[in-house]
Amino acid sequence: MKNKILNSAIALAILSSSSAFAADLKFQPGEDNTFNWASYEQFKKDVNLKGETLTIKGPWLGADKDLAESVIAYFEAATGADVQYAGSDSFEQQIVIDVQAGSAPNIAIFPQPGLAADLASKGFLSPLSADTEKWVKENYAAGSSWVDLGTFTDKKGNKNLFGFFYKVDLKSLVWFIPENFEDAGYQVPKTMEELKALTKQIVADGETPWCIGLGSGAATGWPATDWVEDLMLRTQSPKDYDRWISNDLKFNDPKVVQAIEEFGWFASNDKFVDGGARAVATSDFRESPLGLFSSPPKCYLHKQASFIPSFFPEGTKLGLDADFFYFPAYASKDLGKPVLGAGTMWGITEDSKAAQAFIAFLQTPIAHEVWMAQSGFLTPYKGVNINAYGNDTLKKQGNILLDATTFRFDGSDLMPGKIGAGAFWTGMVDYTGGKSAQEVGDYIQGTWDALK
């Protein structure tokens, strides 16, 4: 009898625990066939972590923290594990302190792979399994690109996959006003040749094609680095892009100079830019796209990342009042459909059974679809239901990621700080001010050579 009572109490406790987890779930399992509940149920069947604790640290606070925890809740509910997430606005500094002090979380969420690479080289990251590498190659669009981005050299000089990318940002976008295009009879360009032809056509029609602004306070110049990075991917091979990021291909090499001059084709022509070429460096990047919404429009095109609608006029409806298209590749070059962006990389800083299981959880469709259905999340995972995205804008951006043949991380974020967040920024401001691309390339390379 005593055992029966004890067993009944245990069963009740487990049931209560499961109910508590279920109550925290944003979408109830099985209730909406948009989600791949089969992946959740299979994971639930395969993994039991009752009594286990998993600690995760990352950069997210506020709404982003809530979104991340909405996904974590499904891992808890499926496995019985207790997951403790802690966000910090000084994550990059704190994680270094934590690993050196021996108090690292099980999993760390890196906004940039550079810091993770540094920790891996010092022995502070655990390599992911060979199965994970195979999974990424097979299941992510441009899968080899994602493996390359998460592969670093360890303390012994061996290369291993240390990072799993989850939650991606997209930069290769051009924004426009559909009504303005319709009134003028313009079509969305599918190739770089068509984009340049459209630019010239808008001028021939007596209008200004582009709004470009590099102003960003102490960070003035950074929007131009995105342009150059995107144009490197459209004029040179992914291998050359990687060599450039690591300084094996010098900033004053003709290939890099050509990419800077490609940016100049758009930004250095007074007829092509609202306010003229000299206004590019002084126009604030947050105010620059407002020219699209003027009546009559001050410009028809604006290149910027997926976050820029935050600075559109209040009430703007994406897909109706404003829309975007993929910043296209050259039809005449055999470089596929490259995409520039950023994203968060998840790595194991304190290995455990639960940590390994969580990385496996990130390989289930449901771990992506739960965040897809809300906001601020894009994924290159080919196995998700694209209709799970919370709106048509996210769905369209998600499709751009899925169509990518190459993905590369924002290059300036991977360069040494004095270059990517220093000389590259100021060099591009100098370029829009009249210096030649060669002079700018020489200046940036000279700064890089002087680093110790």
Side-chain angles (χ1 to χ4, degrees):
M1 178 64 72
K2 184 176 180 182
N3 286 338
K4 285 185 179 180
I5 294 172
L6 181 60
N7 289 339
S8 297
I10 292 172
L12 181 60
I14 292 172
L15 180 62
S16 299
S17 176
S18 298
S19 299
F21 285 134
D24 292 334
L25 301 183
K26 186 77 175 178
F27 310 99
Q28 288 303 308
E31 289 190 3
D32 185 341
N33 61 12
T34 302
F35 300 95
N36 188 329
W37 294 119
S39 69
Y40 170 75
E41 295 298 339
Q42 187 62 50
F43 191 82
K44 187 176 181 179
K45 184 188 299 184
D46 293 343
V47 184
N48 185 340
L49 297 172
K50 287 182 175 63
E52 300 274 346
T53 298
L54 177 71
T55 54
I56 301 175
K57 286 190 177 179
W60 296 319
L61 297 165
D64 285 335
K65 177 177 182 286
D66 293 340
L67 287 163
E69 289 182 335
S70 75
V71 176
I72 290 170
Y74 286 83
F75 178 79
E76 289 185 306
T79 66
D82 174 28
V83 183
Q84 300 170 1
Y85 171 81
S88 172
D89 56 6
S90 57
F91 167 80
E92 289 88 342
Q93 293 76 32
Q94 189 60 49
I95 192 63
V96 173
I97 295 170
D98 289 345
V99 297
Q100 290 177 342
S103 58
N106 295 116
I107 290 177
I109 306 170
F110 298 93
Q112 298 175 6
L115 175 57
D118 184 55
L119 294 184
S121 71
K122 295 174 181 175
F124 291 126
L125 282 188
S126 296
L128 305 183
S129 69
D131 287 344
T132 299
E133 179 174 337
K134 182 173 183 286
W135 186 92
V136 173
K137 283 183 177 179
E138 294 177 353
N139 290 279
Y140 270 15
S144 293
S145 294
W146 295 105
V147 170
D148 292 344
L149 281 169
T151 298
F152 313 124
T153 302
D154 65 15
K155 196 173 183 179
K156 296 180 180 178
N158 300 314
K159 287 192 173 182
N160 289 291
L161 178 68
F162 285 97
F164 185 95
F165 279 88
Y166 172 85
K167 189 179 183 299
V168 177
D169 299 314
L170 189 58
K171 296 202 170 194
S172 303
L173 301 176
V174 179
W175 297 84
F176 70 104
I177 307 300
E179 184 178 355
N180 293 345
F181 263 48
E182 185 177 349
D183 290 346
Y186 299 144
Q187 299 294 317
V188 170
K190 302 297 185 183
T191 67
M192 184 60 72
E193 289 90 346
E194 290 180 2
L195 179 60
K196 287 188 170 183
L198 175 61
T199 298
K200 292 178 179 179
Q201 182 61 51
I202 294 172
V203 172
D205 293 341
E207 305 290 345
T208 303
W210 292 91
C211 282
I212 304 175
L214 308 188
S216 185
T220 291
W222 73 259
T225 69
D226 284 358
W227 272 88
V228 174
E229 290 154 7
D230 250 327
L231 291 165
M232 273 292 289
L233 291 172
R234 284 151 182 76
T235 57
Q236 310 302 329
S237 69
K239 183 178 179 181
D240 278 336
Y241 183 93
D242 296 340
R243 292 176 58 231
W244 173 50
I245 299 306
S246 63
N247 200 30
D248 290 331
L249 181 69
K250 305 303 180 184
F251 243 103
N252 52 3
D253 185 277
K255 293 180 177 180
V256 182
V257 171
Q258 179 189 349
I260 296 173
E261 289 174 340
E262 282 278 309
F263 168 61
W265 189 92
F266 295 95
S268 297
N269 187 321
D270 286 334
K271 294 181 179 179
F272 286 2
V273 188
D274 179 40
R278 293 303 175 102
V280 169
T282 57
S283 298
D284 191 284
F285 86 93
R286 290 154 288 210
E287 298 174 358
S288 180
L290 297 181
L292 295 170
F293 298 91
S294 299
S295 183
K298 292 184 178 180
C299 59
Y300 284 77
L301 301 160
H302 180 74
K303 182 186 180 303
Q304 191 48 273
S306 53
F307 70 81
I308 198 62
S310 298
F311 301 102
F312 288 174
E314 187 175 351
T316 298
K317 295 181 180 178
L318 297 183
L320 181 64
D321 302 325
D323 206 348
F324 61 88
F325 57 85
Y326 167 67
F327 186 55
Y330 277 100
S332 57
K333 299 179 185 291
D334 187 22
L335 294 171
K337 288 187 174 180
V339 166
L340 179 73
T344 53
M345 198 206 83
W346 300 55
I348 297 176
T349 39
E350 183 62 41
D351 204 1
S352 70
K353 178 183 176 182
Q356 294 288 344
F358 193 85
I359 297 298
F361 173 69
L362 295 181
Q363 296 165 45
T364 65
I366 199 65
H368 297 247
E369 291 166 352
V370 166
W371 202 331
M372 287 167 63
Q374 298 180 75
S375 65
F377 184 90
L378 298 173
T379 179
Y381 186 8
K382 295 181 289 186
V384 299
N385 181 0
I386 198 76
N387 294 318
Y389 276 114
N391 57 58
D392 288 341
T393 295
L394 289 171
K395 181 178 178 180
K396 188 175 173 182
Q397 292 175 359
N399 274 319
I400 289 175
L401 271 180
L402 292 176
D403 287 342
T405 56
T406 300
F407 184 94
R408 284 299 184 268
F409 206 90
D410 183 306
S412 59
D413 284 347
L414 301 180
M415 297 173 183
K418 290 185 178 179
I419 305 302
F424 197 180
W425 291 352
T426 56
M428 295 314 299
V429 171
D430 291 342
Y431 178 65
T432 58
K435 285 193 175 181
S436 71
Q438 188 64 57
E439 287 177 307
V440 168
D442 289 340
Y443 157 69
I444 300 173
Q445 188 56 48
T447 305
W448 205 328
D449 290 342
L451 296 181
K452 295 181 180 179

